[in-house]
Amino acid sequence: MTERSRRPLAGVLAAMAVSLTGTRISAIALPWFVLVTTGSTARTGLVALCEMAPYVLVKAFTGPLVDRIGPRTVSWITDVVSAAAIAAVGLLHLVDVLSFWLLLLLVAVIGAARGPGDLSKEIMVPVAAERARVPLERAAGLAGVTERLASTVGPAAGGAVVALLGAQTALFAIACCFAAGSVLIVLLLPGRRATEPAGSVPDTDTDTASEDGYWRRLGAGFRFLRRDPLLLTVIAMVGVTNLLDAAFATLLLPVWARESGNGPGAIGLANSALGIAAVLGSLLAATVAHRMRRRPVFFAGFLLAGAPRFLILAVDVPLWAVLAVFALGGFGAGFLNPILGALNFERVPGELRGRVNALGDSLAWAGIPLGGLLAGTAVASFGLVPVLCTGAAAYFLTTNLTGLRPEWREMDRKPPRPRSPGDEPPDADAGADAASDGRGTAPGPGTAGDLTSARP
C-alpha cells in the first residue's frame, strides 16, 4: 500500500483545467481566425480536418507507448509541442509569412500532440485517485466538473478575447494555457511513480519496445473492445454524435454568428451558457445519479443536448432564446460523461487503460475530422438552415434508434467490485481474456470526455 498523497490528483486536475481551457479557446479562436482571414467556409472546414485527423490517428496508436514511457512524460512533452505550434501560427501571421499550407501543417502538429496529451491526462486521473485514496467515482466526478468548468471559462474567454483583441491575440493565450499545463505536470507530479499504479512499472528485460511487443499490447486492447458489446455500441453511437458536434462547433455555430450579425461574442455566450448549465448538471449527477437508472437518464441527456441546439439556430429568434436552449442542452450534457466514466471504471481493467482508452477514444472521435469539412461543403452547397435541420434530424435518430439495442440493459446492472489500489495487475493479455468472460473487472479511467467529445 502506497503512502497517501493528494498532490498527484490535484496536479492532474489543475493541468487538465488549464489545458482544456486552452483547447476550448482554440475551438472559437482558430475557426474564427481562418474564417476572417480567408473568408472561406470550405477552408475553415479543411483546417478542422487537418487538426482532428492527426489527433485521432496518433491517439489510436500511442496507447501502448504511453503505457511504456509513462503518461506524465508524454503529457508535459506534448503540451510543450502544442504551445510551440500554436504560438508559431500567431508569430508567423504577425510577420505576414503564414501561408495557408503552412497553417495546415502547424494545425496538424497541434492535433497530433493533443491526442496523446489528452490520453495521458485521462490515464493519470484514476491512478492519482488511488494515490490519494479517493473513490474512483468521485475522481471521475471531479474530472467531469473540471472539464465542464473549462468548457465554461474557455468559450467565454475565447469569445471575449477574439471580440476585443482579435483572433491572433487569442492564439497566444492558447499557447500560454498549454505551456501552463506542462509546467503544472512537472512541478506537481515530480516523479513517474506518482502517476503509475503499484506494480505497473515495466520490466525492461521482458517488456521490450520491439514491434512485436507493441502490436501484441495494442491487440490486447482490440480484443477487449471486441468482446464488450456495450462499449462497442456506445463508441459507435457517440462516434456519430461527435461528428455532428464537430460540424456544429467548428463551422455551423461560427457561420451562424457571422450571418446573424451577433459576432464571435455570441459564440462565447452560447457556449458559456451551455458550460455553466453542464457544470450544474454534472454536480447534480454526482449527487443523485447513482440513485437513478442510468439508461433513461443517459438518453434523456442526449435528447436535451443534441437536436435542440441545431434547431434553435435554424430559426430567427432573439439571442436570449438561443442561450436558453444552449443552457438546457448543457444541463442534459452534464449527466452524460459521469455515466460514461462509471462504465469505463467498471468495465476496463486497469492494466489495459492506455490501450483501451486510446482505441475507444479514437474510434469515437473518428468522424470529428470530417465534421467541419462536410459541414463547410454542405453549407456552401445548400445554405446554413437546411444543414442545421438535417443535423438535428440525424442527431435525434442516432441517439434514439441506438437506445433500442438490447446491450443497453447492462448499463443498469450492479457494478462489479473494483480491485484495490495495492493489488498486483495481471498480465495484459490475460486481463483482456478475463474481462471478456466476466473476470478481471478492475476499473479503468473513464474520465470526462473519454468516449464523448467536448462538444457539447
Side-chain angles (χ1 to χ4, degrees), residues 31 34-35 37-50 99-101 103-104 251 372-373 376-377:
V34 177
L35 195 59
T37 55
T38 68
S40 170
T41 58
R43 285 196 168 192
T44 303
L46 184 59
V47 168
L49 171 66
C50 288
S99 67
F100 183 68
W101 300 110
L103 171 64
L104 293 182
L251 193 122
L373 183 64
T377 304

Side-chain angles (χ1 to χ4, degrees), residues 202-341:
D203 186 335
T204 56
D205 295 330
T206 60
D207 189 10
T208 68
S210 68
E211 181 174 315
D212 289 341
Y214 167 84
W215 290 110
R216 186 167 59 251
R217 294 192 296 271
L218 188 65
F222 270 114
R223 287 196 299 274
F224 178 86
L225 282 178
R226 189 180 69 240
R227 298 170 184 177
D228 194 312
L230 177 58
L231 285 183
L232 277 179
T233 304
V234 170
I235 290 169
M237 183 189 77
V238 174
V240 177
T241 61
N242 280 347
L243 184 151
L244 296 171
D245 286 332
F248 185 87
T250 61
L251 193 122
L252 298 179
L253 185 59
V255 172
W256 166 83
R258 186 182 65 173
E259 293 189 358
S260 66
N262 289 304
I267 304 176
L269 287 174
N271 282 315
S272 295
L274 187 146
I276 293 171
V279 170
L280 297 177
S282 296
L283 291 173
L284 184 60
T287 304
V288 302
H290 64 282
R291 301 189 182 98
M292 306 170 69
R293 293 183 59 197
R294 288 177 180 172
R295 185 166 50 161
V297 172
F298 183 74
F299 287 104
F302 262 120
L303 183 63
L304 295 177
R309 289 178 297 124
F310 289 77
L311 292 175
I312 196 64
L313 298 189
V315 296
D316 185 15
V317 296
L319 181 58
W320 66 262
V322 174
L323 299 181
V325 170
F326 270 63
L328 183 65
F331 182 77
F335 285 82
L336 299 178
N337 282 352
I339 292 176
L340 292 173

